[in-house]
Amino acid sequence: MNFRSDNESPAAPEILAALQEANSGHAYAYGEDGITAGMRDRFRETFETDLEVFPVATGTAANSLSIAQLSPAYGAVFCHHEAHLHADECGGPEFYSGGAKVIPLSGELAKICPRTLRAALSKMEEMGIHESQPSAVSLSQATELGTVYKPDEIREISRIARGGGMGLHMDGARLANAVQRLGCTPAELTWKAGVDILSFGATKNGAMAAEAVVVFNNDRAAGLARRHKRAGHLFSKMRFMSVQLETYLKDDLWLQLAGRANRAADALSAGLGRLAGAQVLYPVEANEVFVKMPPPLADGLKEAGYEFHLWPGSRDHYRLVTCFATRVDEVKVFLALARRLADGLKAGELAKGLDGS
Amino acid sequence: MNFRSDNESPAAPEILAALQEANSGHAYAYGEDGITAGMRDRFRETFETDLEVFPVATGTAANSLSIAQLSPAYGAVFCHHEAHLHADECGGPEFYSGGAKVIPLSGELAKICPRTLRAALSKMEEMGIHESQPSAVSLSQATELGTVYKPDEIREISRIARGGGMGLHMDGARLANAVQRLGCTPAELTWKAGVDILSFGATKNGAMAAEAVVVFNNDRAAGLARRHKRAGHLFSKMRFMSVQLETYLKDDLWLQLAGRANRAADALSAGLGRLAGAQVLYPVEANEVFVKMPPPLADGLKEAGYEFHLWPGSRDHYRLVTCFATRVDEVKVFLALARRLADGLKAGELAKGLDGS
Amino acid sequence: MNFRSDNESPAAPEILAALQEANSGHAYAYGEDGITAGMRDRFRETFETDLEVFPVATGTAANSLSIAQLSPAYGAVFCHHEAHLHADECGGPEFYSGGAKVIPLSGELAKICPRTLRAALSKMEEMGIHESQPSAVSLSQATELGTVYKPDEIREISRIARGGGMGLHMDGARLANAVQRLGCTPAELTWKAGVDILSFGATKNGAMAAEAVVVFNNDRAAGLARRHKRAGHLFSKMRFMSVQLETYLKDDLWLQLAGRANRAADALSAGLGRLAGAQVLYPVEANEVFVKMPPPLADGLKEAGYEFHLWPGSRDHYRLVTCFATRVDEVKVFLALARRLADGLKAGELAKGLDGS
Amino acid sequence: MNFRSDNESPAAPEILAALQEANSGHAYAYGEDGITAGMRDRFRETFETDLEVFPVATGTAANSLSIAQLSPAYGAVFCHHEAHLHADECGGPEFYSGGAKVIPLSGELAKICPRTLRAALSKMEEMGIHESQPSAVSLSQATELGTVYKPDEIREISRIARGGGMGLHMDGARLANAVQRLGCTPAELTWKAGVDILSFGATKNGAMAAEAVVVFNNDRAAGLARRHKRAGHLFSKMRFMSVQLETYLKDDLWLQLAGRANRAADALSAGLGRLAGAQVLYPVEANEVFVKMPPPLADGLKEAGYEFHLWPGSRDHYRLVTCFATRVDEVKVFLALARRLADGLKAGELAKGLDGS
């Protein structure tokens, strides 16, 4: 069983069925088709506002295009040092923007600390033209550690961004999980809290390959159609991309799928937290569980066929990710095994302790 | 009925069925899955050589990545002025390469004229460092006018490229149509004729959204994995991209699909060539028919629901494109109407002639 | 004697003297010094308007920065195919702009033909987002063939540019020669005729290494200070750059220097035009003379120590360039030799003719 | 008196005299002149090896070109977080390289800590293609805090760089100060210790505007001539750039000038260190003195006309920079005043202390 990443999950059956249905005869290319028009409307309805939406097939593309819209080549973009934008895109934002600087910041629970942001901004402003122009802040929602920003937290970051003449980007690769968890509306978590451009993710949560750049602030949309095209993300048979997004949003499918992933994560977290010698590291606010456990326990689970990642740079921090397809009964089987292994280990240690001295 | 572009065709049922089948459970992300490994083997088998293959979702991406591999930022790339690379990618190759110059050349039937290429190369070399470094030549196979390069023609271009220290790229958005038409092997039309990097197209010929950068010359592959990633073309759920390509190549499906498109184009061309007042403009060597016809005839066809493009910059040159889904019986119905309309127009003109003076 | 290029001329003594004078003690760096402030005022006075000025050391830098201001990365820039911007900057504008396309146009006497420009613009607009966004037109004043645009001609190009939403750039590497020749004011030849950004040249006409980007249209200046810095053209000891420009403009030194070069070119042109077998090819409107002459005549002159270039791509078109340091008496000596050689060649040919048949 | 920066110093009289002398008649452009050839030889002689040298007018240009040679667009470059490369070039290296990532590292005394470098490298390698490719390390010699790397320290960094497949760059904006201070040869501090490319500085130490990219490793020079040209740093009247560098190196002028600056810094440091309430913060190994002193003392000095910078981000850390033109007797006068002010402040504080309680 795979807890490595929601990236490795299948596509939701609803989405594959919609693809099949969209495959009837010819359709105008490059987004001039009816399915794409409907998808655009669906986004406007979901976010309760006018907006522009540009489908892409990867989060790297969504993030990089977003940053290129918010930052000139001579600009700087602030984000948390754990953010995908900085640590996992192989320099995509730098490439798309023509060499903007991505400035990694520290902060608890993978969230940008407002004070740190203010200090970094002020230091950069002090340097004048010898430094890049502060241009954007990027938040990950949910974060790389599976935590979420509450609307108030986003608004605070937004105020700092505005004050420094910067735009606000949200990397919403797991936005569905955050929306479902917080129980607020998509609008409240994005444009109403000050987000200008959103990387909207669907792939991790049931699409085959579908993300989107969503621009809430029309002033930020100029030129995006051409950037999208020249970067190779304007699909000729756009309907197949659009139908994934349309189906994803329709009847709140996205939130239902995220709900399943979140509930599986809750079950996982509760169980792991009760294991002897294990400790859940961060609040589980989306579909990721970070757990510190003895490597022999992890090894035992892996030998039994369970897959999950050791967190880079650590020795005993493990990440387990659930998805819409993770069944709670499977989680229970996993936890039962974990319990047996943990208890066995503990007994062994006790035994060793008894033997040893 | 849509003759506008093979871009607007549906996906082949075989490919959608394969997608469905690939959707079983989790699979490793970013191309570490088994389907992707199989797809790579299939490419090596099809082209009878070792090679590297990087799936992408658009031809713009394939072309732009290819050029960035062959040309440094300070390089120049020669292509025909009709080539997509120059005229339809919104500056994609310039973006990906960091500002290489694309130099448009003239030539009959949308094919680069070797003499023109030699002269352009020699002029650039004469300028030394005041001009960009000649770095690549790009051929479109089939061309934008539906003609094809024969292996000998490719080899001649290749020799000039080699002589000038340049790499050779082939934009194979319609490679299947060319291979099927020429009856030679994919190898003979590509690396055996000197092609270093190929943009392999499948979307226009039955895939949903699947192209690939194929590198025959290993010396040209360095860094491509990272360019691919940072440009946002490394799919997390790669299996869904790979399975399209795998299915496309399996059992020569790609050539069967192209054969249908080519035969429909032949039927179309033969019929249009016999119309009063119409003239087929170029040899039909792939699945595109360019026809000069009186605008009233074109208008009549459009009123009847047939769709096709007036060629940009012209008044009475029309392009009709067939695809794997174009049925010869539909073509016959279309031609019958065309004949009636053309005869009617001619009679009208005769009548006007009789009336007029 | 060197007629190869005004690039190879010395610096004017006035300018070297001013450098010496500027070298007293410390001065604030990066343009915060008093000499730089004075230089800025001098530019405003000379061009009779408010403006921004950014000194650089090469014409390539001036042109490339200007284009990056006028064109986004996804833009296109139109210029004459002979323009330095296209043919001699090794892709500088493409680099600075992040991959804008430079579109070379044809036109008599190295001047953009308005009709050709209109057609190219309209073709590009028709392509929509599949092509780059028309963003700028660039004129060379004087042109690469030593001709000049009159204010009316600039205004016509400017109207087309405005109509297409484009900015207008002037490459004024030899602006002094044009202003002096036309007898109009610098303002009339630039912003009053619609120029937004000017590459102002001084190096060819007496400076040591001093050019400037001059922005007449404040809307076009945003971000230029940072582009200038990050490209490595913000000099720490700016006073030494500024004092060259200040001295160049003061008391119309620039026009006096250009006047000498122009008069020497006139003398050269008049003399060459009278040579047997020679023909001056274009109107001499600045300080360049293009002459068609028998290669043996050119060879004889070169053997006598005179240096000048064969025009790239030609067999018997030669370019001779004068400068502020070219003395008319030296030109006379040169012409006397040319006359003797030409007459000798003619006599030889006559003799050969008599012998031959 | 100006202790703000050696950037604000005048040019050395020897260099201005050489400029004057170089201004005789025409000379071939773009570096084909004899002075430039001589300058190249002088560099080879000074560094006791074959090498390539490309003059530029700013340190930003030298650093940015160097990085673009060492790192592909998808590469990463490690440097100290205080390095100019990261903190003062407005993203120049990112621009020139096409979007490489500059990764700031911590380390005592503004020097890269080898252990930190190894950890950062290893973390990046672990990420594979999801992160940029480790491509270069850049050292500042002398550092931003006026300290220097000893040959052994450079070799250690070099070994780590080599081991990770990276090139080694040295930002030698103040190389002369380091060479003079350490008493080793230029070769020992650069290529013999593993440096591949050097930004050679002369402007801060007596030139008007002259730096150079020096490539010791021929494999790293490919394409640099064109990068240099297209970025606008290939001067037409190159002799005026070259003669500055030639004169700077001739008869060890550069080391004599640096010696004066270093000795003045020593005098300054010794005197400031003895002031009541003041503390010299770092070893003075070049021509910069960092001193912590009470702001009222700094204010008093400024009121008397002395100029120096408060270090960004600090409240009472001040930087004083000397240069070749700083006279030791002037330093003495300054110190005498400082002493009087410091003693006065101390007396006042004592008085306050007596009053206060």
Side-chain angles (χ1 to χ4, degrees):
Chain A
M1 188 170 180
N2 185 322
F3 292 118
R4 289 165 36 115
S5 175
D6 36 6
N7 262 338
E8 309 200 330
S9 65
E14 294 87 342
I15 283 176
L16 265 181
L19 273 173
Q20 193 78 44
E21 206 174 317
N23 192 36
S24 69
H26 279 65
Y28 288 170
Y30 301 118
E32 316 253 306
D33 63 289
I35 292 174
T36 299
M39 176 275 292
R40 289 198 185 102
D41 287 343
R42 185 74 70 184
F43 265 92
R44 289 179 187 126
E45 183 192 308
T46 302
F47 285 93
E48 303 171 70
T49 186
D50 194 26
L51 52 75
E52 295 293 325
V53 53
F54 293 83
V56 293
T58 68
T60 304
N63 282 341
S64 302
L65 279 167
S66 297
I67 293 307
Q69 284 301 108
L70 292 177
S71 174
Y74 49 83
V77 181
F78 298 98
C79 65
H80 193 275
H81 68 81
E82 291 275 12
H84 244 65
L85 202 75
H86 175 62
D88 304 82
E89 312 287 33
C90 196
E94 289 86 349
F95 169 45
Y96 273 71
S97 62
K101 280 185 90 83
V102 175
I103 309 288
L105 303 176
S106 57
E108 294 293 301
L109 298 176
K111 293 196 259 183
I112 293 176
C113 163
R115 190 177 314 178
T116 305
L117 174 59
R118 256 187 228 104
L121 171 61
S122 142
K123 192 182 157 199
M124 189 168 277
E125 286 173 338
E126 199 179 335
M127 297 298 297
I129 61 166
H130 296 271
E131 253 287 21
S132 301
Q133 182 178 293
S135 299
V137 180
S138 177
L139 302 175
S140 303
Q141 180 77 316
T143 74
E144 303 297 320
L145 297 182
T147 57
V148 301
Y149 287 91
K150 289 179 191 57
D152 274 0
E153 295 174 304
I154 301 171
R155 268 195 297 273
E156 185 173 3
I157 299 287
S158 167
R159 271 191 300 270
I160 303 171
R162 289 287 169 271
M166 299 188 285
L168 184 58
H169 169 248
M170 176 177 280
D171 176 353
R174 293 189 182 97
L175 182 67
N177 304 87
V179 169
Q180 197 277 341
R181 181 70 72 172
L182 288 165
C184 49
T185 68
E188 284 165 355
L189 265 196
T190 56
W191 64 272
K192 285 189 176 172
V195 173
D196 294 301
I197 302 191
L198 167 71
S199 294
F200 180 85
T203 308
K204 289 180 203 284
N205 188 36
M208 206 172 71
E211 314 276 312
V213 180
V214 177
V215 187
F216 298 113
N217 179 340
N218 269 351
D219 298 349
R220 299 298 200 166
L224 179 47
R226 278 193 170 85
R227 283 193 207 277
H228 186 236
K229 165 67 189 174
R230 78 197 303 246
H233 297 291
L234 178 62
F235 307 98
S236 52
K237 298 183 175 176
M238 179 71 94
R239 56 172 151 169
F240 295 116
M241 185 64 51
S242 300
V243 81
Q244 295 182 59
L245 294 167
E246 153 69 13
T247 308
Y248 183 69
L249 289 177
K250 194 175 157 188
D251 299 332
D252 282 344
L253 175 62
W254 66 310
L255 300 181
Q256 292 171 38
L257 296 172
R260 286 186 228 156
N262 287 353
R263 282 189 297 274
D266 288 345
L268 202 54
S269 164
L272 288 170
R274 280 192 293 266
L275 291 186
Q279 181 193 347
V280 172
L281 292 162
Y282 317 116
V284 174
E285 299 176 345
N287 61 326
E288 297 185 285
V289 182
F290 288 80
V291 62
K292 179 174 151 73
M293 59 181 163
L297 172 52
D299 293 345
L301 290 164
K302 287 183 174 181
E303 274 160 34
Y306 290 101
E307 302 185 272
F308 46 88
H309 285 299
L310 179 69
W311 196 235
S314 138
R315 279 194 219 162
D316 56 2
H317 291 193
Y318 298 90
R319 187 187 73 164
L320 290 88
V321 189
T322 60
C323 74
F324 74 93
T326 312
R327 296 201 321 268
V328 172
D329 61 326
E330 291 175 318
V331 170
K332 282 184 186 160
V333 174
F334 169 78
L335 287 171
L337 171 65
R339 216 145 37 222
R340 281 198 306 277
L341 288 172
D343 292 346
L345 276 172
K346 202 181 164 189
E349 273 167 29
L350 286 174
K352 254 200 279 180
L354 291 174
D355 288 359
S357 57
Chain B
M1 188 170 180
N2 185 323
F3 292 119
R4 289 165 37 117
S5 175
D6 35 8
N7 263 338
E8 309 200 329
S9 65
E14 294 87 343
I15 283 176
L16 264 181
L19 274 173
Q20 193 78 45
E21 207 174 319
N23 192 38
S24 66
H26 279 65
Y28 288 170
Y30 301 119
E32 315 253 304
D33 63 289
I35 292 174
T36 299
M39 175 276 292
R40 288 199 186 102
D41 287 343
R42 184 74 70 186
F43 264 93
R44 289 179 187 126
E45 182 193 308
T46 303
F47 284 93
E48 304 171 70
T49 186
D50 193 26
L51 52 75
E52 295 293 326
V53 53
F54 293 82
V56 293
T58 68
T60 303
N63 283 341
S64 301
L65 279 167
S66 297
I67 292 307
Q69 284 301 107
L70 293 177
S71 174
Y74 49 83
V77 180
F78 298 98
C79 66
H80 193 275
H81 68 82
E82 291 275 12
H84 244 64
L85 201 74
H86 175 62
D88 304 82
E89 313 286 33
C90 196
E94 288 86 349
F95 170 44
Y96 273 71
S97 62
K101 281 184 89 84
V102 175
I103 309 288
L105 303 176
S106 57
E108 294 292 302
L109 298 174
K111 294 197 259 183
I112 292 176
C113 163
R115 191 177 313 178
T116 304
L117 174 59
R118 256 188 228 105
L121 171 61
S122 141
K123 193 182 156 197
M124 189 168 278
E125 286 173 338
E126 198 179 336
M127 296 298 297
I129 61 165
H130 296 272
E131 253 287 20
S132 300
Q133 182 177 296
S135 299
V137 180
S138 176
L139 302 175
S140 304
Q141 178 77 315
T143 74
E144 302 299 318
L145 296 183
T147 57
V148 300
Y149 286 91
K150 289 177 192 60
D152 274 2
E153 293 174 306
I154 301 171
R155 269 195 296 273
E156 184 171 3
I157 298 288
S158 167
R159 271 192 299 269
I160 302 171
R162 289 286 170 272
M166 299 188 284
L168 184 58
H169 169 248
M170 176 177 279
D171 177 353
R174 292 190 183 97
L175 182 68
N177 304 87
V179 169
Q180 197 276 340
R181 182 69 72 171
L182 287 165
C184 48
T185 68
E188 284 164 357
L189 264 196
T190 56
W191 63 274
K192 286 189 175 170
V195 172
D196 294 301
I197 303 190
L198 168 72
S199 294
F200 180 85
T203 309
K204 288 179 203 285
N205 188 38
M208 207 173 71
E211 315 275 313
V213 179
V214 177
V215 186
F216 297 114
N217 179 340
N218 269 351
D219 298 348
R220 300 297 199 167
L224 180 46
R226 278 194 170 84
R227 283 192 206 280
H228 185 235
K229 165 66 187 173
R230 79 198 301 246
H233 296 291
L234 178 63
F235 307 98
S236 52
K237 299 184 175 176
M238 179 72 93
R239 57 174 149 169
F240 296 116
M241 185 64 50
S242 299
V243 79
Q244 294 182 59
L245 294 167
E246 153 69 13
T247 309
Y248 184 69
L249 289 178
K250 193 176 158 188
D251 299 333
D252 282 344
L253 175 63
W254 66 310
L255 300 181
Q256 292 170 40
L257 296 171
R260 286 187 229 153
N262 287 354
R263 283 188 298 275
D266 288 345
L268 202 55
S269 165
L272 288 170
R274 280 193 293 267
L275 290 187
Q279 181 193 346
V280 172
L281 291 162
Y282 317 116
V284 174
E285 297 175 346
N287 62 325
E288 296 184 285
V289 181
F290 287 81
V291 62
K292 181 174 151 72
M293 60 181 161
L297 171 52
D299 294 346
L301 290 163
K302 287 181 174 183
E303 274 161 35
Y306 290 101
E307 300 185 274
F308 46 88
H309 284 301
L310 178 68
W311 196 236
S314 138
R315 278 194 222 161
D316 56 1
H317 291 194
Y318 298 90
R319 187 186 74 162
L320 289 88
V321 189
T322 59
C323 73
F324 75 91
T326 313
R327 296 203 321 269
V328 172
D329 61 327
E330 292 176 317
V331 171
K332 282 184 187 161
V333 174
F334 169 77
L335 288 171
L337 171 66
R339 215 145 39 223
R340 281 197 306 279
L341 288 172
D343 292 347
L345 277 171
K346 200 179 168 191
E349 272 166 30
L350 285 174
K352 254 201 278 179
L354 292 174
D355 288 358
S357 57
Chain C
M1 187 171 183
N2 185 322
F3 291 118
R4 289 167 34 119
S5 176
D6 35 7
N7 262 337
E8 309 201 330
S9 65
E14 294 87 342
I15 283 176
L16 265 180
L19 273 173
Q20 193 78 45
E21 207 173 318
N23 193 37
S24 67
H26 279 63
Y28 288 170
Y30 301 118
E32 314 254 304
D33 63 290
I35 292 175
T36 299
M39 176 276 293
R40 288 199 185 101
D41 288 343
R42 185 73 71 184
F43 264 92
R44 289 176 188 129
E45 183 192 308
T46 303
F47 284 93
E48 304 171 70
T49 187
D50 193 27
L51 52 75
E52 295 294 324
V53 54
F54 293 82
V56 292
T58 67
T60 303
N63 283 340
S64 302
L65 279 166
S66 299
I67 293 308
Q69 284 301 108
L70 293 177
S71 174
Y74 49 82
V77 180
F78 298 98
C79 65
H80 193 275
H81 69 81
E82 292 275 14
H84 244 65
L85 202 74
H86 175 64
D88 304 82
E89 313 287 34
C90 196
E94 287 87 351
F95 170 45
Y96 273 70
S97 61
K101 282 184 90 84
V102 175
I103 309 288
L105 303 176
S106 58
E108 294 293 300
L109 298 174
K111 293 197 260 184
I112 292 175
C113 163
R115 190 178 314 177
T116 304
L117 174 59
R118 256 188 229 104
L121 171 60
S122 141
K123 193 182 157 198
M124 188 168 278
E125 286 172 339
E126 198 179 336
M127 296 298 297
I129 61 164
H130 296 272
E131 253 287 20
S132 301
Q133 182 176 294
S135 298
V137 180
S138 176
L139 302 175
S140 304
Q141 179 76 316
T143 73
E144 304 297 320
L145 297 182
T147 57
V148 300
Y149 287 90
K150 289 178 192 59
D152 275 1
E153 294 174 305
I154 301 171
R155 269 195 295 274
E156 185 172 3
I157 298 288
S158 166
R159 270 191 300 270
I160 302 170
R162 288 289 168 271
M166 300 188 284
L168 184 59
H169 169 248
M170 177 176 279
D171 177 354
R174 293 190 181 97
L175 181 68
N177 304 88
V179 169
Q180 196 277 339
R181 181 70 71 171
L182 288 166
C184 48
T185 68
E188 284 164 355
L189 266 195
T190 56
W191 63 273
K192 286 189 176 172
V195 172
D196 294 301
I197 303 191
L198 168 71
S199 294
F200 180 85
T203 309
K204 290 179 202 286
N205 189 36
M208 207 171 72
E211 315 275 313
V213 180
V214 178
V215 187
F216 297 113
N217 179 340
N218 269 351
D219 298 348
R220 298 298 199 167
L224 180 45
R226 278 195 170 85
R227 284 193 206 279
H228 186 236
K229 165 67 188 175
R230 78 199 302 245
H233 297 291
L234 178 62
F235 307 98
S236 53
K237 299 184 175 176
M238 179 70 94
R239 57 174 150 171
F240 296 116
M241 185 64 50
S242 299
V243 78
Q244 294 181 59
L245 293 167
E246 154 70 12
T247 309
Y248 183 69
L249 289 178
K250 193 176 159 190
D251 299 333
D252 282 345
L253 175 62
W254 66 311
L255 300 181
Q256 292 170 39
L257 296 171
R260 286 188 229 153
N262 287 354
R263 283 189 297 275
D266 288 346
L268 202 55
S269 165
L272 289 170
R274 279 193 294 266
L275 291 185
Q279 182 192 346
V280 172
L281 291 162
Y282 317 115
V284 174
E285 298 175 346
N287 62 325
E288 297 186 285
V289 181
F290 287 80
V291 61
K292 180 174 150 73
M293 59 180 162
L297 172 51
D299 293 346
L301 290 165
K302 288 182 174 182
E303 276 161 33
Y306 290 101
E307 300 185 273
F308 47 87
H309 285 301
L310 178 69
W311 195 236
S314 137
R315 279 194 219 163
D316 56 1
H317 291 194
Y318 299 90
R319 186 187 73 162
L320 290 88
V321 188
T322 59
C323 74
F324 76 91
T326 312
R327 297 201 322 269
V328 172
D329 60 327
E330 291 176 318
V331 171
K332 283 185 186 159
V333 173
F334 169 77
L335 288 171
L337 173 64
R339 215 145 39 222
R340 280 198 307 278
L341 288 172
D343 291 348
L345 277 171
K346 200 180 165 190
E349 273 167 28
L350 286 175
K352 255 202 276 180
L354 291 174
D355 287 0
S357 58
Chain D
M1 188 171 181
N2 185 324
F3 292 117
R4 289 166 35 118
S5 175
D6 36 7
N7 262 339
E8 308 200 330
S9 65
E14 294 87 343
I15 283 175
L16 264 181
L19 273 172
Q20 193 78 48
E21 207 173 318
N23 192 37
S24 68
H26 279 64
Y28 288 170
Y30 301 117
E32 315 253 304
D33 63 288
I35 292 174
T36 299
M39 176 275 293
R40 289 198 186 103
D41 288 343
R42 185 73 72 185
F43 264 92
R44 288 175 189 130
E45 183 192 306
T46 302
F47 284 93
E48 304 171 70
T49 186
D50 193 26
L51 52 74
E52 294 294 324
V53 53
F54 292 82
V56 293
T58 68
T60 304
N63 283 342
S64 301
L65 279 167
S66 297
I67 293 308
Q69 285 301 109
L70 293 177
S71 173
Y74 49 84
V77 181
F78 298 97
C79 65
H80 193 275
H81 68 81
E82 291 276 12
H84 244 65
L85 202 75
H86 175 63
D88 304 83
E89 313 285 34
C90 196
E94 287 86 350
F95 170 44
Y96 273 71
S97 61
K101 279 185 90 83
V102 175
I103 309 289
L105 303 177
S106 58
E108 294 294 301
L109 298 175
K111 293 197 258 183
I112 291 176
C113 163
R115 191 176 313 178
T116 306
L117 174 59
R118 255 187 230 107
L121 171 61
S122 141
K123 194 183 156 197
M124 190 169 278
E125 286 172 340
E126 199 179 335
M127 297 298 298
I129 61 166
H130 295 272
E131 253 287 21
S132 301
Q133 181 177 296
S135 299
V137 180
S138 176
L139 303 175
S140 304
Q141 180 77 314
T143 73
E144 303 299 318
L145 296 183
T147 57
V148 300
Y149 287 90
K150 289 178 192 59
D152 275 1
E153 294 175 305
I154 301 171
R155 268 194 297 273
E156 185 172 2
I157 299 287
S158 166
R159 270 191 301 268
I160 302 170
R162 289 286 170 271
M166 299 188 285
L168 184 58
H169 170 248
M170 176 176 279
D171 177 353
R174 293 189 181 98
L175 181 67
N177 303 89
V179 170
Q180 198 278 338
R181 182 69 72 172
L182 288 166
C184 49
T185 66
E188 285 164 355
L189 265 195
T190 54
W191 63 273
K192 285 189 177 171
V195 172
D196 294 302
I197 302 190
L198 168 71
S199 294
F200 180 86
T203 308
K204 288 178 203 285
N205 188 37
M208 207 171 72
E211 315 275 313
V213 180
V214 177
V215 187
F216 297 114
N217 179 340
N218 268 351
D219 298 348
R220 299 297 200 167
L224 180 46
R226 277 193 171 86
R227 282 193 208 278
H228 185 235
K229 164 66 188 174
R230 78 198 301 245
H233 297 291
L234 177 63
F235 307 99
S236 52
K237 298 183 175 176
M238 179 70 93
R239 56 173 150 170
F240 296 116
M241 186 64 50
S242 299
V243 80
Q244 294 182 60
L245 293 167
E246 153 69 14
T247 308
Y248 183 69
L249 289 178
K250 193 175 158 189
D251 299 333
D252 281 344
L253 175 61
W254 66 311
L255 300 181
Q256 293 170 39
L257 296 171
R260 286 187 229 155
N262 286 354
R263 282 189 298 274
D266 288 346
L268 202 55
S269 165
L272 289 169
R274 280 192 293 267
L275 290 186
Q279 182 193 346
V280 173
L281 292 162
Y282 317 115
V284 174
E285 298 176 344
N287 62 325
E288 296 185 285
V289 182
F290 287 80
V291 61
K292 179 173 152 70
M293 59 180 162
L297 172 52
D299 294 346
L301 291 164
K302 287 182 175 182
E303 273 161 34
Y306 291 100
E307 301 185 272
F308 48 87
H309 285 301
L310 179 69
W311 196 235
S314 139
R315 280 195 217 160
D316 56 0
H317 292 193
Y318 298 90
R319 187 187 74 162
L320 289 89
V321 189
T322 59
C323 73
F324 75 92
T326 312
R327 295 201 324 267
V328 172
D329 61 325
E330 292 175 317
V331 171
K332 283 182 186 161
V333 173
F334 168 78
L335 288 171
L337 172 65
R339 216 145 37 223
R340 280 197 307 278
L341 289 171
D343 292 348
L345 277 171
K346 201 179 167 190
E349 274 167 27
L350 286 175
K352 255 199 280 181
L354 291 176
D355 288 0
S357 58

